[in-house]
Amino acid sequence: MTRALYLDDSYLRSFDAVVIDVDDTGVYLDRTAFYPRSGGQPSDLGLLIRGDRLFRVEGVEPSEHGICHRVHGLSPGDEVRGEIDWARRYRIMRSHTACHILSAVIFRETGALITGNQINTDRSRVDFSLEAFDKSMIETYVGMANDIIKESHPVRVKVMTREEAMEIPYLVKLAKNVPERESVRIIEIEGVDLQACGGTHVRNTSEIREIRLVKAENKGKSNRRVYFELVG
């Protein structure tokens, strides 16, 4: 199986690896810093480099065999250097951490759970189980999130046993349970939020700078969709 380097260091931009398997969909490495599409976060893009040849990674997907990099022309045993499209990844990191903050604010103010999300470089969305639709209140929640962003809260990664994680009230704000795994990866925004998450995040909320509400929609009974974007 592929060792997922991004779980320990979201700021790792390049890495050395060996191709351990190849199939019709792409290649599998012994280790990777490329994030595979999962949990509403899109996959990383970038390059695999072998000697003077460049192989463009067009997408990364999780699979039962490991993490599949959609790239062709490599063979098992090839030694490669991976290069992440860092500008893209960093915007996604900022957006993902912003999503946690906004979700924490809305949960604190209303008790609403997350029913869906999609993180991206331009604009992101998050769906909430809100009974009432009030755009002015959504704007207020975005303002509260920006206040938290400017307070420069540290963001840390923790790993807990599932038993330990389940003892923390309101750890999971998604409208589903903690995954059935022995260990759970936790994103802590100091003084703000604890959330089970496998995605990539910034180290401090100040890196987000600011978010702006794009629009808010009523998506049916008790389901409200909020779109936001990074400012800068």
Side-chain angles (χ1 to χ4, degrees):
M1 295 292 285
T2 308
R3 180 185 171 194
L5 302 174
Y6 56 83
L7 291 175
D8 298 320
D9 186 359
S10 294
Y11 288 78
L12 188 62
R13 307 184 190 195
S14 62
F15 62 98
D16 296 317
V18 177
V19 177
I20 56 175
D21 198 8
V22 175
D23 62 21
D24 292 340
T25 57
V27 305
Y28 301 83
L29 307 176
D30 64 334
R31 60 208 302 266
T32 187
F34 283 89
Y35 182 84
R37 178 181 60 85
S38 180
Q41 179 175 330
S43 78
D44 284 321
L45 304 177
L47 298 170
L48 293 181
I49 304 168
R50 181 174 181 268
D52 59 357
R53 295 190 63 189
L54 305 180
F55 300 86
R56 188 168 299 281
V57 178
E58 299 177 347
V60 187
E61 305 285 339
S63 80
E64 60 182 8
H65 305 297
I67 297 173
C68 180
H69 303 70
R70 294 209 318 266
V71 60
H72 300 282
L74 291 164
S75 302
D78 284 346
E79 297 182 357
V80 297
R81 184 160 186 80
E83 297 283 354
I84 303 291
D85 180 342
W86 176 247
R88 180 177 181 277
R89 155 72 84 80
Y90 189 54
R91 286 190 66 85
I92 290 171
M93 287 164 57
R94 292 168 61 205
S95 294
H96 200 158
T97 307
C99 185
H100 278 222
I101 294 170
L102 182 59
S103 300
V105 167
I106 293 179
F107 178 77
R108 181 189 70 197
E109 297 297 319
T110 70
L113 297 176
I114 303 169
T115 57
N117 66 75
Q118 185 62 55
I119 311 300
N120 223 317
T121 56
D122 49 2
R123 70 176 188 177
S124 300
R125 70 164 173 84
V126 58
D127 298 344
F128 298 96
S129 59
L130 280 171
E131 289 292 334
F133 180 74
D134 186 336
K135 186 176 180 181
S136 65
M137 287 308 301
I138 299 296
E139 291 173 341
T140 298
Y141 301 149
V142 170
M144 291 177 178
N146 278 324
D147 289 341
I148 291 170
I149 288 168
K150 294 170 185 175
E151 289 168 355
S152 300
H153 295 263
V155 181
R156 302 185 182 92
V157 176
K158 297 181 176 182
V159 178
M160 301 180 179
T161 65
R162 190 176 192 280
E163 183 178 359
E164 290 172 328
M166 292 300 292
E167 291 178 355
I168 300 175
Y170 310 119
L171 173 66
V172 177
K173 296 172 186 62
L174 291 170
K176 59 183 179 182
N177 294 326
V178 175
E180 292 289 343
R181 300 179 185 138
E182 291 184 5
S183 61
V184 180
R185 183 175 184 262
I186 305 297
I187 301 299
E188 177 191 17
I189 303 174
E190 187 177 273
V192 178
D193 187 49
L194 283 172
Q195 186 63 250
C197 178
T200 58
H201 291 268
V202 295
R203 293 181 180 135
N204 192 286
T205 62
S206 62
E207 296 177 57
I208 302 167
R209 300 179 192 169
E210 186 180 352
I211 62 172
R212 177 191 297 125
L213 177 65
V214 176
K215 64 178 178 178
E217 298 177 332
N218 186 342
K219 300 300 291 184
K221 183 180 180 181
S222 302
N223 193 21
R224 318 302 169 199
R225 177 165 293 176
V226 176
Y227 291 90
F228 70 90
E229 62 186 3
L230 298 174
V231 178

